[in-house]
Amino acid sequence: MEAAKATFGPVHPAATGSDYYAHGTQDERWERARLFFDARDYAAAARVLAALVEEVPEQSGPRLLLARAYYHSAQLRRAETVLRNIVDREPVEHYARLMLGRTLERQGRTEEARTHLRIASALAGAFEDL
């Protein structure tokens, strides 16, 4: 490992075995997760967010971003689980309903998705889409 560092520059912290994804305060990890997400490294964002969600289960923001990271990295069952948790806790969270519907659609579960998409539409005030 030291030879690689000398030849190729600094070694990424994950390569050395340190827990790069869990390092820092909650605010720092939230920012890191957002940077990974914005860079479209959804799997890395999910790694940071999964631990953060366990620490702050009452906050919907990290849960929604975790669900989005799972969705975009094709971890659809995980996205569904997180989204169902949000909807169970906050039945009127229209964005979680929308995402759950899209996640179910992507899994080929159209009928089940339709229910959540209709509720999301109603909650968003788009009654004409019903």
Side-chain angles (χ1 to χ4, degrees), residues 47-117:
R47 287 183 67 183
V48 175
L49 289 163
L52 193 56
V53 162
E54 287 182 26
E55 291 177 36
V56 288
E58 69 284 354
Q59 294 184 11
S60 293
R63 284 184 188 281
L64 282 170
L65 192 58
L66 176 59
R68 290 177 64 201
Y70 283 150
Y71 179 87
H72 288 299
S73 61
Q75 298 180 63
L76 300 177
R77 293 288 184 172
R78 287 181 174 177
E80 178 184 351
T81 299
V82 172
L83 291 165
R84 286 191 185 280
N85 183 279
I86 294 169
V87 167
D88 287 346
R89 295 170 66 136
E90 300 178 52
V92 296
E93 172 53 66
H94 81 280
Y95 188 67
R97 291 270 184 187
L98 175 65
M99 283 186 61
L100 180 55
R102 297 287 182 236
T103 300
L104 294 168
E105 277 183 333
R106 197 165 164 196
Q107 293 178 65
R109 296 159 57 190
T110 310
E111 234 6 83
E112 193 177 351
R114 190 170 293 133
T115 300
H116 293 286
L117 293 173

Side-chain angles (χ1 to χ4, degrees), residues 9-21:
V11 176
H12 189 278
T16 63
S18 68
D19 199 356
Y20 173 72
Y21 299 98

